[in-house]
Amino acid sequence: VFTARAVIGIDPSLNGTAVSMYQPGSVDCEMVLISLKSRKGLSESKKMMQIYTFFKAPPTADYFIEGMAFGVKYFHSSAAMIQGVIRVTIAASGLSVINLVPPTTLKMFVTGSGLSKKEDMKLWVYKLWGQEFKTNDEVDAYALMMLGRYYLGHTDLPELSEKRKECLTKITQYV
């Protein structure tokens, strides 16, 4: 059921956390540069405080956040901390709904394959919605926001294939 609430996609990342927010009539994508690689002199706690400061007064919305990739190659404790700070801060507002989207589900929703590469995501976001972004984080945040709009039943969007509709069943609410 469509509501007038904002729909926000968040891609928490070690390189930068991207946020894409839908309000009826406009779509904005904003990069929040909380980079663990480029800020070597900044302590872990200060990095987490920057994330907290950005999200401490979140708008009432339905949030769609990319979940963690737990493979040995991709898992990093700092990424888990970023994810946790974002979720707890938004949940503490008590006004919003947080939905977790597994990375493979997001890839499947956008490209048709859960094993897609970053370049494929960029290409398919452009093919499906005509949007181009500089960073992979922005691409993922926009795709999460669009997935959220479909999940919530927004009626002003093109019809989904059955394969893409199935992806919507793999979203987990976190409260």
Side-chain angles (χ1 to χ4, degrees):
V1 175
F2 174 71
T3 65
R5 289 163 51 114
V7 180
I8 299 176
I10 301 174
D11 179 53
S13 162
L14 293 174
N15 295 321
T17 294
V19 178
S20 180
M21 180 167 77
Y22 171 80
Q23 293 280 12
S26 71
V27 176
D28 296 316
C29 191
E30 176 183 350
M31 270 299 289
V32 179
L33 296 175
I34 308 296
S35 176
L36 299 178
K37 292 181 179 173
S38 67
R39 298 187 182 203
K40 292 179 182 171
L42 203 56
S43 71
E44 286 291 311
S45 60
K46 287 187 179 177
K47 291 172 191 171
M48 296 310 130
M49 281 305 295
Q50 287 182 330
I51 291 279
Y52 169 77
T53 300
F54 182 81
F55 288 103
K56 74 178 177 184
T60 300
D62 288 285
Y63 289 82
F64 291 82
I65 303 173
E66 187 170 31
M68 297 293 299
F70 289 105
V72 174
K73 180 178 176 183
Y74 301 106
F75 184 77
H76 192 281
S77 62
S78 294
M81 289 189 336
I82 289 171
Q83 177 88 226
V85 168
I86 291 170
R87 287 199 258 170
V88 168
T89 305
I90 293 168
S93 75
L95 303 172
S96 301
V97 176
I98 299 173
N99 301 280
L100 295 181
V101 181
T104 54
T105 298
L106 181 63
K107 290 176 182 178
M108 177 71 78
F109 178 77
V110 175
T111 69
S113 169
L115 302 175
S116 299
K117 298 192 181 320
K118 297 289 185 185
E119 304 81 45
D120 298 329
M121 289 287 289
K122 278 186 172 183
L123 175 65
W124 277 97
V125 162
Y126 180 76
K127 281 183 175 183
L128 292 169
W129 303 299
Q131 298 292 319
E132 292 183 89
F133 299 100
K134 290 181 183 177
T135 70
N136 295 326
D137 300 314
E138 290 171 310
V139 169
D140 288 353
Y142 185 84
L144 286 157
M145 181 272 298
M146 290 302 292
L147 178 148
R149 292 187 63 207
Y150 278 103
Y151 181 80
L152 295 170
H154 289 208
T155 57
D156 60 333
L157 301 169
E159 184 70 25
L160 286 178
S161 67
E162 291 304 313
K163 192 174 187 180
R164 285 192 170 101
K165 285 180 187 176
E166 185 179 324
C167 293
L168 300 178
T169 66
K170 299 180 190 298
I171 296 169
T172 304
Q173 280 196 352
Y174 167 86
V175 182

